[in-house]
Every structure is written in structure tokens, then in C-alpha cells.
Amino acid sequence: MSLRSDLKKLSPEDWRNERIKLRPLLTEDNLIYAACDCQLTEEQQERVNPAWFSIERAYLFPEANLPCLIENEQSEPIGFLNLCQWSAESDTSSWSCFIGRRHQKKGCGKAAAQLALHILKTAAPEKPIKLATEAQNLPAQSLYVSLGFQKLPEMDGDDLVFAL
């Protein structure tokens, strides 16, 4: 079963927690926010792929990706998150995420990661989840460990790999 098929089984309540909600990227305004308006710090820009990278993957491989806006309690976009399949050959789930610089340091990144984890585990509890990050991205590594992930001995290119 594809990632999108798994995600279609979820109820609207599964797409939100007490801090944020995820909404699939469906409109031109959503696309403009994710690809242009959601700005990261200069340091972060060197550590993560830009949103358009995930959006391009979703266009090319729609069944394996679901790009979403992250919205706050007031339904304002504050970030971008792509729920995705780890690789074409794998039945492992993953996500990539970032919070716009104006909304950082407020717990939104952790809330988004917790929600992504909830969504993927609810949609397909039997599927493993892996995440990758650059070795220098200590905040991401700390977040992953706080969510129960463990660092694996494998690498994804130059990136460290964590699994639940």
C-alpha cells in the first residue's frame, strides 16, 4: 500500500495536536508560502534541503510523498513538512520539516515532529520510520533522540540516520 493510501485512512483529528495542524499543500498560495515565504536562517539553509526539493519529489512521486503546510492555532502557515517514503525500494516512512524563522524557538518544531510521528504511526503502525540529518545539525539530532529515535550505524549519503 502506498503512503498516500495509508494517510487517506486518517480522520481530520489525526492531522492536529494542541499546538499545530498539518494541511496538504493544495493551492498556489500554499506553494508560494512553502517554496518562497517560509524562510530559514542562513545557518539552517546550509543544513536542510529547501521546500521545493520535497515539492518536486511529490510532483514526480505523488504516491510516496505528501507535502503539507504546518499551521499554528490561528491557522497561519508557520512551516513546511513533507510526509514521505524513505526510498523507492523501502516500505519505511519518513518526513522532512522546517519551521519559518519567525516562528522558531517556540516549540513548534517539536510539535510538528510529534504530529508527524503520530500521523505515520497511526496510518501504518507496522512500518518503520527513519530520519536523516547532517552530522552538524545537533538540534535535529537532539529532537530525534527526545522522540525515541536511535542513531543507526548506516549513513544516507553524508547524513546520519535515526530510526524509531
Side-chain angles (χ1 to χ4, degrees), residues 27 30 58 62 74 80 91 93 96 106 115 120 123 132 144 160:
T27 69
N30 296 165
Q74 293 78 34
F80 173 79
D91 201 26
S93 299
S96 59
K106 299 176 183 175
L115 183 55
L120 293 175
Y144 299 163
L160 302 175

Side-chain angles (χ1 to χ4, degrees), residues 76-156:
E76 299 167 327
I78 62 167
F80 173 79
L81 188 140
N82 186 46
L83 297 164
C84 56
Q85 197 171 307
W86 177 256
S87 69
E89 322 65 59
S90 167
D91 201 26
T92 300
S93 299
S94 188
W95 74 78
S96 59
C97 169
F98 57 80
I99 302 296
R101 65 177 168 222
R102 293 181 331 141
H103 304 282
Q104 293 178 9
K105 309 282 188 213
K106 299 176 183 175
C108 297
K110 184 168 188 168
Q114 290 169 328
L115 183 55
L117 184 57
H118 165 77
I119 287 169
L120 293 175
K121 291 307 280 178
T122 302
E126 72 288 350
K127 289 185 181 179
I129 299 173
K130 285 185 179 180
L131 301 169
T133 187
E134 291 192 7
Q136 313 87 283
N137 195 344
L138 298 179
Q141 293 174 48
S142 177
L143 173 61
Y144 299 163
V145 170
S146 78
L147 295 172
F149 284 80
Q150 294 183 350
K151 185 177 161 298
L152 299 179
E154 70 183 80
M155 299 286 285
D156 182 31

Side-chain angles (χ1 to χ4, degrees), residues 44-100:
Q44 290 169 324
Q45 289 174 18
E46 296 185 23
R47 288 190 275 177
V48 299
N49 289 322
W52 59 261
F53 181 82
S54 294
I55 294 166
E56 180 181 75
R57 275 183 160 168
Y59 175 77
L60 294 172
F61 308 104
E63 289 302 310
N65 292 271
L66 184 64
C68 298
L69 284 184
I70 303 168
E71 295 181 337
N72 63 15
E73 300 94 340
Q74 293 78 34
S75 297
E76 299 167 327
I78 62 167
F80 173 79
L81 188 140
N82 186 46
L83 297 164
C84 56
Q85 197 171 307
W86 177 256
S87 69
E89 322 65 59
S90 167
D91 201 26
T92 300
S93 299
S94 188
W95 74 78
S96 59
C97 169
F98 57 80
I99 302 296

Side-chain angles (χ1 to χ4, degrees), residues 29-46:
D29 286 343
N30 296 165
L31 181 63
I32 290 169
Y33 174 80
C36 302
D37 296 341
C38 185
Q39 298 294 310
L40 300 176
T41 66
E42 284 185 35
E43 179 184 354
Q44 290 169 324
Q45 289 174 18
E46 296 185 23

